Each structure stands twice: as C-alpha cells, then as structure tokens.
Amino acid sequence: MSDKSSSYGSVGVDYATLDAAKRSALAQALATSPLLAQHGGRSLDESRGESAFVFEFDGRTMAIVLECLGTKSMIAREFHEETGVDRFADIAVDSVAAIVNDLCCVGALPLVVNAYFATGSGEWYEQGTRKDSLIAGWRAACETAGATWGGGESPTLPGLIQPTEIDLAGCAVGYVPDGRSAILGDELEAGDSIVLVESTGLHANGASLARKVAAESGGLTTELPSGRTLGDALLVSAPIYVPFVKALMDKGLAITYLSHITGHGVRKVMRARHDLTYVIEQLPEVPEVLAFLVEKLGIDAREAYGTFNMGAGFAVYCRPDAAEQVVAHAAGSGLGAVVAGRVEAGPKRVVLESLDIEFGDEDLQLR
C-alpha cells in the first residue's frame, strides 16, 4: 500500500485495527449461537464472516444485517451549504443500498428495513427540505428493494454527534425463498466464472478520503474533467442490486457465491472462506469521480483497488455456462456487467492480471 498520508489511515480509518476488533467480536458472538436452540431455531455459523448472518427458525431460513452510511452524509451537508442543492434523498438510497445489498449476498430477499437517524441536535430537521428529502429517499429505496419500512430510531446525541451532522444506519431482516439454500459459498469451486457488475461511483465507501480530496482541491464545486462538479458526482446514489439478484434466483441460475464490493475494494472478491484464487482478466471502466480521487490522493493502483470499488459494485460467481445469462439479467435490471474472470485452484488471493496486482489472504482477514 502507498504512503499513509494518502491512505485511509490518514483519515482515521485503519482496516487492520477494525478487522481485528470484528474478529474478536465474532468469536464472542459465536458463543451465543446455542441460545437460538432455546427458541427452536438454529444458527448457521458458517455464515459468520459473510455479509449477513443466517439462521433457521420455524421452518424458514432467515438473514439479518446492520449497516451504516459512514461520513457520506457530511458530503451531502457540505454540498447543500455550498450550492443550495439538496441531495439527501440520494444518501438515503445509499444507506438502504448498503443494507439490502449485503443482505442479498447470502441469497436472502429483504422483508423489513428499519432506519437509524441520529443527530447532534433536533435543529437538523429544521434545515430546509433535507428532512423531507431524506424520508422520501428512504421510502423509495425500500420500495425498490421490495421491503417494508418498519420503523427505526432517531436519537439526539449532543456531544457525541455535531449539531450539523446526521449519522445514518439501519438493519434489515430477509428470507431465503422456499426451495433454495442460503448462498454461503458451499458450491463455489475452481472453474466458476466471475461476473463483475458496475458501480455508479463512490457508493458508501471511501467518503472520508473523498472529503479530504474536496478540502484540498477547492471544495465540492471543484470541476472534474467532464465539467461535472466533484460533489455532484460523489453524491450519485449506489444501485440497489436486490431486483437483479432476485431475477437470478427466479431463473434458477447456478449461482455459487455473491459479494458486495464495499470496504476493502476488490479484495472483497475473495470474501468466501475457501482457499481459491480469483483471476480477474477484465475490469469494469473506472468512474470518472473515482479516477479523480485516485489522482488527487496520489495513490498507486494497488492502494486504489484495495480501497475503492473502482467501478465494480457487486460480484457474481456462477458456473461458466450461466455467465452470459448473468450479464443479460444485469442489463435487464439497468446495470452493466462483464464476465471478468474465473476461479482457480490455488492459494486464497485475487489477481488483477491487466494491472499486475495481487492481493493475498493476509490482505483480507474477516474471520
């Protein structure tokens, strides 16, 4: 990785430390698995370390996940202050996307989404149209995901959160359709194809670095080469991949694994617990805003692809004869996708052939 002054560590995000804490929490959580049996349920502990926790209850396979937006809400607030343009609906969509896109990776479709809107002061809700935009965006995102918005929590936390800011998060419960099993990588094997589905830009990961670039480049009204402003490009909402995943399941395609490319960038391609090598021969086009961030941060390609999604928002692993159908279903959902590579026997690693970059098992320690 590149010099720390340009890395995530420079803005207080240290994946090594965070992942170690997650592994410690996972070990403690594992000890509580037998408690489900008291209620007639069963914990699928092989799902621990995946993007959602899977359990069985009353004859159904269910999944639950909690996610947050991070500091992208600060970009929306700063952009609103600089331009008067309200993009809070977009960050609401981003928040829901972060939740439900993780949930569907285990083959679960969202049933109910709950919201967490934490502010430093109740005055946040009195600032222009942003409250209404946030709420409308959250509803629209739930509708796209096919999920009921059940409720949530909206605490005011003075001293913990600045009066000008809002912390967005939420959780979702979903179900694995009848006749199907949770997708936990059990069937993933050498010879499978890897389809990468495009991102729309930053999504919910890397906002702290984006804010650093904005501060050092003249603000969010800084123009990109296309003439678009940096803030406008950063605030494009992430796709909700749930309808696409549902289409794959409805067609009964041989899907062996799914991965939401978020924190850790394309290192998430090797999220499955198996010792396998993931060879990427064709990468999606890098969105202009991400190329701009990489240039301004002065980071190399390895740091960039290990931090940002770099144009790949979601990965689908399937039998080779299903790969082109996956691409076609992505197009039917309004998404671009490419048959990007293959799974090979070998040590756990991701190989980006065109860039001569390799990430090994030591670069992604989630379990």
Side-chain angles (χ1 to χ4, degrees):
M1 296 286 180
S2 66
D3 187 283
K4 188 175 181 179
S5 63
S6 299
S7 71
Y8 237 166
S10 67
V11 289
V13 182
D14 184 342
Y15 276 140
T17 300
L18 294 173
D19 290 345
K22 290 177 183 178
R23 293 194 300 272
S24 178
L26 190 153
Q28 295 296 322
L30 186 63
T32 69
S33 289
L35 297 177
L36 260 176
Q38 297 179 8
H39 307 284
R42 185 173 76 91
S43 169
L44 272 65
D45 287 331
E46 60 269 35
S47 70
R48 296 188 181 277
E50 298 294 335
S51 59
F53 173 66
V54 183
F55 61 99
E56 294 174 349
F57 186 76
D58 199 23
R60 299 302 303 257
T61 302
M62 311 289 290
I64 186 168
V65 67
L66 183 149
E67 260 295 346
C68 71
L69 177 68
T71 64
K72 195 172 184 180
S73 59
M74 297 177 73
I75 296 177
R77 189 262 303 162
E78 291 167 4
F79 190 67
H80 191 213
E81 291 174 349
E82 287 186 38
T83 68
V85 177
D86 180 345
R87 297 291 294 274
F88 284 90
D90 292 277
I91 63 167
V93 174
D94 270 322
S95 303
V96 175
I99 299 163
V100 298
N101 289 345
D102 270 7
L103 187 72
C104 71
C105 282
V106 296
L109 301 177
L111 287 170
V112 178
V113 173
N114 268 16
Y116 177 83
F117 302 164
T119 56
S121 167
E123 294 178 4
W124 188 94
Y125 295 100
E126 300 172 356
Q127 302 300 313
T129 60
R130 61 190 186 183
K131 167 181 65 71
D132 293 333
S133 296
L134 179 73
I135 292 170
W138 197 279
R139 173 185 170 175
C142 288
E143 290 173 339
T144 299
T148 293
W149 180 1
E153 172 70 350
S154 53
T156 301
L157 306 173
L160 183 61
I161 298 176
Q162 293 296 321
T164 55
E165 308 299 350
I166 187 166
D167 178 28
L168 298 176
C171 68
V173 175
Y175 73 103
V176 176
D178 289 340
R180 299 193 63 88
S181 299
I183 300 173
L184 301 176
D186 298 334
E187 299 179 0
L188 182 67
E189 64 185 19
D192 284 351
S193 293
I194 304 170
V195 176
L196 293 180
V197 185
E198 69 181 10
S199 73
T200 53
L202 186 68
H203 292 189
N205 177 247
S208 296
L209 283 172
R211 289 171 43 235
K212 176 181 179 179
V213 170
E216 295 174 353
S217 300
L220 292 168
T221 57
T222 298
E223 288 192 357
L224 304 180
S226 66
R228 187 177 201 175
T229 67
L230 174 60
D232 181 51
L234 288 173
L235 290 166
V236 172
S237 58
I240 291 177
Y241 296 110
V242 175
F244 163 60
V245 172
K246 184 177 185 299
L248 299 183
M249 294 195 296
D250 286 347
K251 289 297 182 180
L253 297 183
I255 305 304
T256 57
Y257 196 64
L258 299 165
S259 184
H260 187 199
I261 309 300
T262 53
H264 304 83
V266 298
R267 289 180 280 173
K268 281 283 178 67
V269 168
M270 59 177 173
R271 181 167 197 156
R273 60 184 179 275
H274 307 298
D275 289 331
L276 291 167
T277 294
Y278 305 88
V279 179
I280 305 300
E281 301 169 302
Q282 182 178 356
L283 289 162
E285 182 178 351
V286 179
E288 178 189 35
V289 67
L290 296 183
F292 181 84
L293 294 180
V294 169
E295 177 188 354
K296 293 300 181 181
L297 288 166
I299 59 178
D300 61 22
R302 190 174 194 278
E303 179 86 29
Y305 277 86
T307 301
F308 299 111
N309 67 63
M310 298 304 282
F314 203 81
V316 179
Y317 309 72
C318 60
R319 300 295 186 238
D321 58 1
E324 291 298 340
Q325 296 178 71
V326 172
V327 172
H329 281 295
S333 299
L335 301 165
V338 296
V339 182
R342 63 193 182 277
V343 181
E344 294 184 348
K348 189 172 186 178
R349 58 181 179 157
V350 178
V351 179
L352 308 182
E353 285 194 334
S354 63
L355 299 175
D356 194 25
I357 292 172
E358 179 177 317
F359 295 104
D361 186 26
E362 68 281 1
D363 293 311
L364 187 73
Q365 293 290 319
L366 300 179
R367 294 174 177 81

